[in-house]
Amino acid sequence: MPKDDRIAGAPALLPLDPVRGAPARPLDAEASRRIVDVALDDALGTPAAPRRAWLVAAAALLVCVTGTATAVAWIYRAELFPAREPATLRHAPRRAHRAPPAPEPATEAPQSSAPVVATPAPEVQAPEGAPRPSSAHRHHAARGASSTADQTDILRTANTLRAARRWREAERAYADVARRFAGSDEAYTATIAAASLRVDHLGDPRGALTAFRRALAARPSGDLSEEARYGIAQCHRALGDASAERRALEELLVRHPRTALRRRVEARLSELRGTR
Amino acid sequence: MLLSVGSETSGPITPEVRAAAAGDRRAAHALLTRLLPRVRSLVRYLVPRDDEVDDMAQEALVTIARGLKTFRGEGSLEAWVDRLVARVVFRAMRARRHRRAQLDDALARGADVIALPSAPRDPERMLAYDEMLRVLDRLPEAQRHPLVLHDVLGMTIPEIAEELSTPIETIRSRIKVARARFAVAMQDPIDRDGAEHAEG
């Protein structure tokens, strides 16, 4: 070390602060826990929200079981009534797909200088444990199975990209699921995941706001409505609209009185009310 | 003021480290939670903006969690962590320069990302850190990084030269200049409160 260069008695750098983290700004316990949780999710690949994972896995199971049952019924009926109904069955109405909404371009340009508390995008769990149709049924259930497989593949890709912190590509992958499989549980979750990435990492609170609102309108009492409402508040904050942020946070507390975010929301509301 | 490599609070491979390296999430959580203040502290030494600290700290934690298996206990865990953190920060800054040059610098400068209450802090100590940071933030990156690696982490000049892919003599010179500027600015209240230093 070139200690010879040092001027005797001259000011020098302070040591690292391994207890409080100075000179970094103070961070409370909840925020610390969140940072560590997200880091561990990325590092160890553990889903951030088991309850959500169960929901998605259950939905996938339902899709696969339904597809299998349909295939079995087709074979059974085809054998019993070979000349009577095959055409009808082949053209049986499939599950209607909604018209895909036009994708909203996420812009890199920042919308505001307002600070945003980073919140991890919801993890979308690919239904890996869900049963798949047997080979005998695969052909007849091909359409449903391939649809599920597509969702699974894209969600896996999106999660991988997110873990690699490739935010834009992850956002596109989530948005792809939301667009192509509109109406599904996966699309709902993917919409919120994409919106979270937009506001947290892509500097697009306006696009995120639209997406959160769309998800909330589709499922006002959905499994992720709490996240959507908090996301809306974050977007208003990023856009510098304090009154809209306050209303969104107040609504969050009214609709989700037992939210785990209560302490943070109340602290932020106090700040907002204090600056009125 | 002290010149230190920071406190080192653990032996190289504790049961907690071993469990965390083996994938025990609870152990990893406890370990990373304990390391987080140190990581944030170092990140803030290296980057001139508060708003980037937590993203980079989080990225550093990911790298630490993934890399624990490779920690052999040849030095202290803290020293190993410090190296990883510095590497993550440098990589992130390079990537940011490359990818996000068009972003409005004003977006984040001075932004208070997380303004939440925290544990009580010694006001005098805080003031000392704030004064130091004000001066440090005005040093150009090319001088700031070698100075921090050398005077805070205790890395040798050849190690820094290797880390920053810069010739040894250049590093030596930058540390000397940075240290002199830092000392002068710290002793001059006017300079300390806002004079800009030109790139040297």
Side-chain angles (χ1 to χ4, degrees):
Chain A
M1 294 168 68
K3 291 185 179 178
D4 297 342
D5 296 338
R6 292 178 186 157
I7 305 162
L13 294 178
L14 289 163
L16 294 180
D17 181 350
V19 178
R20 295 185 179 87
R25 284 179 185 275
L27 194 65
D28 75 349
E30 187 191 341
S32 298
R33 182 187 56 75
R34 214 173 168 81
I35 288 175
V36 171
D37 278 341
V38 174
L40 280 175
D41 288 345
D42 279 357
L44 305 178
T46 308
R51 190 164 65 100
R52 216 169 299 144
W54 271 103
L55 179 77
V56 175
L61 178 69
L62 186 66
V63 169
C64 289
V65 167
T66 307
T68 306
T70 305
V72 170
W74 189 89
I75 292 169
Y76 179 69
R77 295 184 73 176
E79 283 172 1
L80 284 181
F81 312 104
R84 285 165 59 185
E85 291 193 43
T88 307
L89 286 169
R90 277 192 201 105
H91 296 94
R94 289 192 290 270
R95 183 178 171 189
H97 284 268
R98 295 180 191 174
E104 297 166 28
T107 58
E108 290 272 0
Q111 301 289 324
S112 160
S113 61
V116 175
V117 178
T119 306
E123 183 80 28
V124 181
Q125 182 65 20
E128 290 176 88
R132 294 176 181 276
S134 70
S135 57
H137 303 151
R138 201 167 290 147
H139 174 71
H140 304 291
R143 183 172 295 274
S146 70
S147 169
T148 304
D150 283 352
Q151 290 181 61
T152 303
D153 290 345
I154 301 169
L155 289 176
R156 275 206 193 105
T157 302
N159 287 338
T160 304
L161 290 167
R162 178 171 160 256
R165 313 177 83 73
R166 292 160 65 181
W167 311 122
R168 174 160 305 286
E169 293 158 88
E171 190 275 336
R172 282 186 186 140
Y174 286 130
D176 192 31
V177 172
R179 183 175 50 80
R180 287 172 56 186
F181 307 100
S184 69
D185 286 343
E186 290 85 348
Y188 169 65
T189 310
T191 299
I192 292 174
S196 297
L197 290 179
R198 283 185 176 209
V199 67
D200 288 340
H201 299 289
L202 298 176
D204 181 24
R206 211 172 289 281
L209 184 59
T210 305
F212 280 129
R213 281 177 172 158
R214 193 167 56 226
L216 203 54
R219 300 187 183 193
S221 304
D223 190 52
L224 298 176
S225 55
E226 188 179 329
E227 280 82 354
R229 289 195 169 90
Y230 188 67
I232 286 172
Q234 281 187 294
C235 292
H236 287 309
R237 184 177 185 177
L239 290 166
D241 188 345
S243 59
E245 182 193 358
R246 197 185 66 244
R247 284 196 301 275
L249 292 174
E250 287 167 347
E251 188 188 356
L252 172 63
L253 290 183
V254 169
R255 301 260 189 173
H256 307 277
R258 301 176 68 181
T259 175
L261 299 166
R262 173 170 278 281
R263 200 191 309 169
R264 173 179 295 189
V265 170
E266 285 174 342
R268 179 60 185 158
L269 279 172
S270 296
E271 281 178 25
L272 289 170
R273 287 165 184 154
T275 56
R276 279 169 68 183
Chain B
M1 293 189 196
L2 296 174
L3 232 157
S4 162
V5 295
S7 66
E8 297 182 355
T9 54
S10 66
I13 302 185
T14 61
E16 182 188 51
V17 171
R18 194 172 290 116
D24 180 334
R25 189 180 171 97
R26 185 175 295 183
H29 198 284
L31 180 66
L32 294 189
T33 301
R34 181 169 64 76
L35 290 172
L36 179 59
R38 182 185 189 90
V39 170
R40 293 181 75 247
S41 177
L42 177 54
V43 171
R44 186 61 184 89
Y45 268 93
L46 294 170
V47 302
R49 288 159 37 159
D50 284 309
D51 64 301
E52 294 184 336
V53 169
D54 290 313
D55 267 359
M56 288 200 190
Q58 187 172 300
E59 199 162 332
L61 291 186
V62 172
T63 305
I64 292 165
R66 286 181 178 153
L68 272 175
K69 288 176 196 161
T70 66
F71 175 57
R72 296 180 180 177
E74 289 162 353
S76 75
L77 175 69
E78 285 76 8
W80 179 80
V81 164
D82 290 346
R83 297 292 184 90
L84 279 189
V85 173
R87 208 160 289 164
V88 167
V89 169
F90 297 149
R91 190 178 61 212
M93 291 178 87
R94 278 195 298 270
R96 188 193 62 201
R97 276 197 293 271
H98 180 67
R99 288 197 314 262
R100 302 173 66 188
Q102 77 277 25
L103 272 188
D104 180 6
D105 192 54
L107 169 70
R109 184 172 289 280
D112 185 5
V113 173
I114 297 177
L116 296 171
S118 67
R121 308 177 78 170
D122 174 359
E124 277 190 31
R125 189 174 169 81
M126 276 304 298
L127 187 63
Y129 272 111
D130 283 349
E131 285 179 354
M132 179 195 76
L133 212 50
R134 269 202 295 274
V135 173
L136 198 59
D137 282 349
R138 288 183 169 81
L139 286 181
E141 203 174 276
Q143 293 173 7
R144 175 189 188 128
H145 289 168
L147 181 69
V148 170
L149 295 184
H150 189 272
D151 285 7
V152 179
L153 299 190
M155 287 173 67
T156 66
I157 287 181
E159 286 172 337
I160 298 169
E162 186 181 338
E163 190 67 50
L164 298 178
S165 305
T166 306
I168 285 178
E169 279 314 307
T170 306
I171 293 294
R172 190 188 303 280
S173 161
R174 285 179 181 173
I175 290 174
K176 188 176 174 180
V177 172
R179 196 181 281 149
R181 282 184 169 180
F182 180 82
V184 168
M186 285 296 287
Q187 287 168 327
D188 181 347
I190 297 171
D191 203 10
R192 197 173 55 207
D193 288 340
E196 293 286 341
H197 290 278
E199 175 85 34

